[in-house]
Amino acid sequence: MPLPHCSNPPTPQETAALRERYRLERERRVRPEGTGQYRATAAEFGYFAADPYAGEVAEREPLHDVVDVAIVGGGFGGILAGARLRGQGMAKVRIIDKGGDFGGTWYWNRYPGIHCDIESHVYLPLLDETGYVPEWKYAPGEEIRRHAVRIAEQFALYEHALFSTAVTSLDWDEAARQWTVTTDRGDAFRATYVVTATGTLSEPKLPGIPGIEDYRGHTFHTSRWDYAYTGGSPDGGLTGLAGKRVGVVGTGATGVQVIPMLAEDAGHLYVFQRTPSAVDVRGQRRMTPAEVGADRAGWAAERRENFLRICSGEHAEQDLVADRWTASAALLEKLLPSFRRHGEPDFEVAYEAADHATMNEIRARVAAEVTDTATAAALTPWYRYACKRPTFSDKYLPAFNRDNVTLVDTADTHGIERMTERGVVVDGVEYEVDCLVFATGFSVGVSGITSGQLPVTGRGGVRLLHSWAERGPRTLHGFTSRGFPNLIRMGSLQNASSVNYTHILDEQAVHAAALVAAAREKGALVEPTPEAEDAWVDVCARDAPDHAWFHAECTPGYYNAEGRGRPNGPTAYPHGAVAFHELLRRWRAENMGEALQS
Ligand code: NDP
């Protein structure tokens, strides 16, 4: 189908035609099982989640000691909390992580081509504090992982850390005013404060393809890359794939980065696509320290604040990062009130026109870059910009012009039909592959204290999720909940969110450390008053922007619970991250007592 012509602004007829096209493409893909179509990487598929990087995990004696703070999760959330707590003078800070080292998502994800698609100078945290200046506009994954290690070393976080260890329960002991932290390695130690920083996309998932267990070729998930099989490194050189038939399932943000690398080294690459990504311009380049103003104190904090303001619809004098995220900012936070303030009276009409303009540019790019017209048509995305995670690559689309790459579109069969001993069946055709890579993403929100996977028992033996069962989640600023003293949660629930999530995590870490420091100084517990908690829950509910209509019209994916039409994930503070951070700063100066109990 040719691209429909679109004037700027689009005519009512053009808008109606696009809406209809989006509806049809959505209908083609919605599956009645919703999120039930996936399989967890557990039980017989547990080997997909095993740690390929930790080597032999050394036996150790279980711990029964006492620490000042236990932090669950050693990704950037946990590391930043640790760094900020160390900055407040906390001596014994213990970070616990399932992985064999710090880094979280950057520990697990080491696939070829891995980069962060948020500018490195705003994504990498604590650049001002560590003096580190990234070389590239978009940092490779290994550089980011090393930066996580750098912060952990600088703030002495290795000293008490526990790796290859999963926290299995948190229990409050009212008499001792401490938490008991138990783990899958037999530990049962005490902590005065607990911070949870468990992330949202931490467990790899597999499609529930019939016959997946029958496949006899080599297979793994992108977040557990098997370099022993492929050879090479995240920079490429996958010599083990020479002459091999390789399949990759999934064309999301990970697939878009990994596919050009596989295309270079595989004998033949089959890309099994269900929904094409919107692939925007990357513009990777080296940047000098002078270009980012790294000679000035506070340059990194200023740059990331500027990025956050633009992506939150707030006023900014200039656009320092100036990339496709900032260019598309008004389409990202989906009608946040802050965008409305700057908008036209008829905001929805203007929004839709802007969306059409951006998506038409992205669609035109496919037509310009991919030579085979049928392949180009299959790679063309038909949905609104923020329906799926935007992606960025200058190498992805040209990879489909190679003779050794075949795109297999699975939209009409709702994904891969089945698997056999030898390969993959789509529309009755069997594609034999020696190796099949799953770039099929992660289950949303299955880890941590709000998922039930990590049970938390507070005052009076009350379970956190039981206490929320009737009236929904109840927090003050998302961090603390009544009945669960000295427990601080990092995450988006009734807190903030934005595309540059490490910035959000750092503000959360600063706040968590301030709460702990104030409580310690006053000999108090960190726990909100009932009035403060009620008031915050009201703020979050009263002003929540209605994104349901947006998600209801989107193609299925993890943003909308696979097409169920409601946002998938925690509900954040409704007025955006900039307003939330200002609110927290004011609150810390004036109202901290609302979260301290004697
Ligand atoms: P996604 O969930 O975004 O993508 C999964 C892919 O697998 C989709 O293309 C999906 O198709 C496809 N898929 C699932 N089931 C089937 C099936 N049965 N048959 C065929 N295809 C199937 O996972 P990603 O790992 O790509 O990305 C997850 C998140 O990680 C991103 O959204 C982003 O937040 C983060 N990320 C960030 C990066 C960064 O640079 N900052 C880089 C990479 C990831 P469909 O769309 O039809 O469901």
Side-chain angles (χ1 to χ4, degrees), residues 275-278 383-391 554-559:
T275 311
S277 270
Y383 45 80
R384 290 203 177 103
Y385 186 66
C387 278
K388 285 191 172 275
R389 175 66 152 66
T391 69
C554 281
T555 42
Y558 80 87
Y559 277 12

Side-chain angles (χ1 to χ4, degrees), residues 121-415:
H121 304 94
V122 298
Y123 182 79
L124 290 186
L126 302 191
L127 291 180
D128 291 313
E129 292 79 355
T130 55
Y132 183 70
V133 185
E135 184 185 351
W136 291 90
K137 192 163 175 74
Y138 302 98
E142 181 58 12
E143 181 181 357
I144 303 171
R145 195 184 68 75
R146 288 214 192 109
H147 188 63
V149 169
R150 177 179 299 116
I151 297 171
E153 285 173 348
Q154 181 166 328
F155 290 89
L157 299 175
Y158 276 99
E159 202 178 329
H160 302 291
L162 293 179
F163 296 116
S164 303
T165 302
V167 175
T168 48
S169 67
L170 298 170
D171 295 274
W172 175 247
D173 179 338
E174 181 74 4
R177 287 163 72 109
Q178 283 174 333
W179 286 93
T180 303
V181 182
T182 57
T183 77
D184 64 352
R185 304 284 299 272
D187 308 300
F189 59 87
R190 299 283 185 127
T192 310
Y193 306 95
V194 171
V195 177
T196 64
T198 45
T200 50
L201 295 173
S202 49
E203 290 205 0
K205 67 176 166 33
L206 297 172
I209 303 169
I212 189 170
E213 58 281 353
D214 298 335
Y215 179 59
R216 293 287 160 262
H218 198 75
T219 183
F220 54 87
H221 189 274
T222 45
S223 67
R224 306 289 189 273
W225 196 269
D226 188 354
Y227 283 106
Y229 178 82
T230 65
S233 73
D235 297 329
L238 311 172
T239 50
L241 300 182
K244 295 226 164 71
R245 299 160 302 179
V246 178
V248 58
V249 187
T251 54
T254 300
V256 164
Q257 292 187 342
V258 86
I259 284 164
M261 307 298 282
L262 288 172
E264 276 191 15
D265 291 321
H268 198 92
L269 179 67
Y270 294 95
V271 177
F272 298 101
Q273 169 192 273
R274 193 165 63 178
T275 311
S277 270
V279 188
D280 211 333
V281 173
R282 171 66 310 167
Q284 170 71 311
R285 64 187 175 91
R286 282 200 161 85
M287 292 184 78
T288 62
E291 207 179 335
V292 293
D295 50 342
R296 279 182 299 105
W299 70 273
E302 185 191 315
R303 195 173 179 92
R304 75 176 189 180
E305 188 62 30
N306 175 265
F307 185 76
L308 186 73
R309 291 194 77 82
I310 292 169
C311 290
S312 306
E314 304 286 345
H315 176 71
E317 289 297 329
Q318 54 177 147
D319 177 357
L320 294 173
V321 170
D323 69 357
R324 294 299 295 167
W325 284 112
T326 56
S328 313
L331 303 176
L332 293 172
E333 303 287 8
K334 295 184 291 290
L335 311 190
L336 264 181
S338 38
F339 279 109
R340 282 175 181 273
R341 279 206 302 275
H342 302 298
E344 298 80 340
D346 208 349
F347 189 84
E348 277 75 7
V349 174
Y351 178 85
E352 199 166 23
D355 194 274
H356 289 169
T358 299
M359 286 306 288
N360 277 341
E361 271 175 45
I362 285 170
R363 288 188 275 263
R365 191 168 181 241
V366 184
E369 301 239 350
V370 179
T371 44
D372 177 67
T373 47
T375 306
L379 286 166
T380 305
W382 294 101
Y383 45 80
R384 290 203 177 103
Y385 186 66
C387 278
K388 285 191 172 275
R389 175 66 152 66
T391 69
F392 308 85
S393 177
D394 298 333
K395 297 179 183 160
Y396 179 72
L397 295 170
F400 292 92
N401 295 332
R402 299 174 63 113
D403 292 339
N404 70 331
V405 177
T406 304
L407 179 70
V408 184
D409 191 43
T410 70
D412 286 330
T413 49
H414 289 99

